[in-house]
Amino acid sequence: MSESIPLPDFPAGHVWLCGAGPGDAGLLTLHAVNALKQADVIVHDALIGAGILALGNPVAERVYVGKRGGQSATQAQISQTLIELAQAGKRVLRLKGGDPFMFGRGGEEAHALATANIPYRIIPGVTAGIGGLAMAGIPVTHRDVNQAVIFATGHDPATDWAAIAHAAPVIVIYMGLKRIGDIAQILIKAGRGADEPVAIVTDASLPTQQVLHTILGRISDDLATHPMSPPAVICIGGTVDILENTNG
Ligand code: SAH
């Protein structure tokens, strides 16, 4: 299949910053698979599952720099690791969940590589906030519902949720499971309907995927009776149930 598609050679001493999609190996790009096959070392975080790592060059070294369990590497340490591996002449694959430039610190790592004069390439990936929701049957735009969509992280206490409430009819939240009850209250106070549909999708695209459908005013109660664990992507707005409400 991919034989006829020209894919680049991975030069020694280069770093490829690559998105791996939400988890299902079928959502890798051909560029990502090409990178996995040629890498000497794969630097990855917690969201990269065993199924995707298994597609890598079997002799490639795997370096885990994730934030789950034990002491986590700082961003500066991760960038330094990439620089040192490249300087040692390795083909360095920096593999990230989703898309490397969507809440993935890919921009920071690219900047560090550029500053250190390390040649690099960016390989986009399917982001959880679009492709992950699609796997749950949720379009992030629909011509009858919204002309804009906003992607936000639920993680940063400085986020202006009242402004976001007015910014777009559909709001997609990454890293928001812990704070979603509070966020929902602020959105309602700012004028969003308590009856607006919400979907929470965990482990999107994986066999363990779960989807909770609720409404803005009931998120906390529903999560109390149906506890969910990260990674979760949350979609708020009229596109959430548009396919469910369609006949056929
Ligand atoms: N760069 C990634 C996002 C990294 S931030 C991307 O483009 O998707 C990590 C967050 O991404 C998680 O907390 C969660 O909100 C979301 N995420 C990543 N993979 C996911 C998955 N399979 N299911 C649900 N959410 C996911």
Side-chain angles (χ1 to χ4, degrees), residues 135-163:
M135 295 301 289
I138 299 166
V140 292
T141 73
H142 187 290
R143 210 146 51 97
D144 297 340
V145 175
N146 61 324
Q147 279 65 48
V149 56
I150 189 159
F151 298 98
T153 163
H155 190 64
D156 187 338
T159 305
D160 185 349
W161 290 104

Side-chain angles (χ1 to χ4, degrees), residues 105-130:
R105 299 190 168 185
E108 291 167 52
E109 291 174 20
H111 183 260
L113 293 167
T115 306
N117 283 315
I118 305 290
Y120 67 91
R121 168 190 283 262
I122 310 295
I123 301 174
V126 173
T127 191
I130 300 178

Side-chain angles (χ1 to χ4, degrees), residues 21-23 47 96-104 125-129 132 173-176 201-206 230-234:
L47 286 175
K96 290 169 166 291
D99 182 276
F101 281 179
M102 179 67 103
F103 300 131
V126 173
T127 191
I173 304 175
Y174 291 70
M175 295 174 277
V201 185
T202 61
D203 279 356
S205 84
L206 293 165
V233 69
I234 301 167

